[in-house]
Amino acid sequence: MDLNKLFKAMLVAVPLMALGACSSTSDSETDANGSMSGTGSEYGNGGIETGGVAPVLSSAEQQRLKEQELRRQNIIYFDFDRSEVQSENADIIQAHGNYLVEHPNVRVLIEGHADERGTPEYNIALGERRAKAIAKYLQGMGVQPSQMSIVSYGEEKPLDYSRNDTGFAKNRRGVLVY
């Protein structure tokens, strides 16, 4: 009987001791004496700042991070009834182009879209011209045509359903889909 009680007590005590041993405190909660301060201050004794130093990135790393951020933007907007790539979108397309040149096994689908003004046939053709303009820009950077596919949705897949200038502007776009 006593062995059974001892076994049950051990069954409860061992996991509790294991959990207690796993707990820790962060550096901001403990001061130099090892006691809990709870202030969350970055200043230790004597007013000396104990915060971390930001890493210094090389120019190549900074460029890589910038292109990585630009690749997150995959929508290229166009002016009304136009299919020319605007200069403000050049950095975005450049980042995607560099990525595709560095990764020749990656394929991209370029979608062309238009707002609802105009006939469906005209908007399909306009969406195709927009997608081809992006593809031509990428091809000029060295991206292989085999890496790119083009599709035009015309007015069929609007991004914004509002019928105002802002909504129309959002729907005049090309989208890079990996």
Side-chain angles (χ1 to χ4, degrees):
M1 271 309 208
D2 291 330
L3 189 57
N4 195 14
K5 288 182 183 179
L6 179 64
F7 179 70
K8 287 181 183 177
M10 291 287 284
L11 193 61
V12 172
V14 169
L16 289 176
M17 289 184 352
L19 287 174
C22 291
S23 69
S24 63
T25 59
S26 68
D27 292 338
S28 64
E29 294 175 347
T30 4
D31 64 11
N33 297 329
S35 64
M36 301 293 281
S37 64
T39 62
S41 171
E42 293 187 21
Y43 295 97
N45 292 340
I48 299 173
E49 187 174 346
T50 59
V53 176
V56 177
L57 300 175
S58 70
S59 62
E61 290 172 330
Q62 289 175 352
Q63 180 68 22
R64 184 184 59 80
L65 289 175
K66 179 184 175 189
E67 285 189 358
Q68 187 177 20
E69 185 64 33
L70 285 170
R71 276 196 318 271
R72 290 186 182 145
Q73 301 174 27
N74 64 335
I75 299 176
I76 310 300
Y77 293 102
F78 291 88
D79 287 334
F80 174 70
D81 203 26
R82 297 282 184 208
S83 59
E84 297 85 22
V85 174
Q86 300 171 354
S87 60
E88 59 259 17
N89 293 317
D91 287 344
I92 296 170
I93 299 175
Q94 192 85 29
H96 286 279
N98 290 340
Y99 178 77
L100 289 166
V101 167
E102 291 171 6
H103 300 90
N105 59 337
V106 175
R107 294 183 44 87
V108 64
L109 173 66
I110 305 170
E111 299 176 349
H113 297 270
D115 60 31
E116 64 183 54
R117 298 175 287 185
T119 65
E121 295 83 13
Y122 180 81
N123 287 335
I124 289 288
L126 180 59
E128 183 177 357
R129 287 195 309 271
R130 289 174 175 167
K132 284 183 177 180
I134 295 171
K136 184 177 179 182
Y137 194 103
L138 290 170
Q139 199 170 354
M141 294 177 56
V143 177
Q144 297 300 314
S146 61
Q147 290 179 267
M148 299 179 282
S149 300
I150 292 173
V151 65
S152 175
Y153 291 112
E155 62 188 62
E156 297 302 315
K157 291 190 173 184
L159 190 62
D160 189 334
Y161 289 95
S162 61
R163 301 195 71 213
N164 56 35
D165 288 339
T166 305
F168 292 146
K170 288 181 181 177
N171 293 332
R172 298 188 302 261
R173 69 194 190 280
V175 182
L176 297 157
V177 181
Y178 289 93

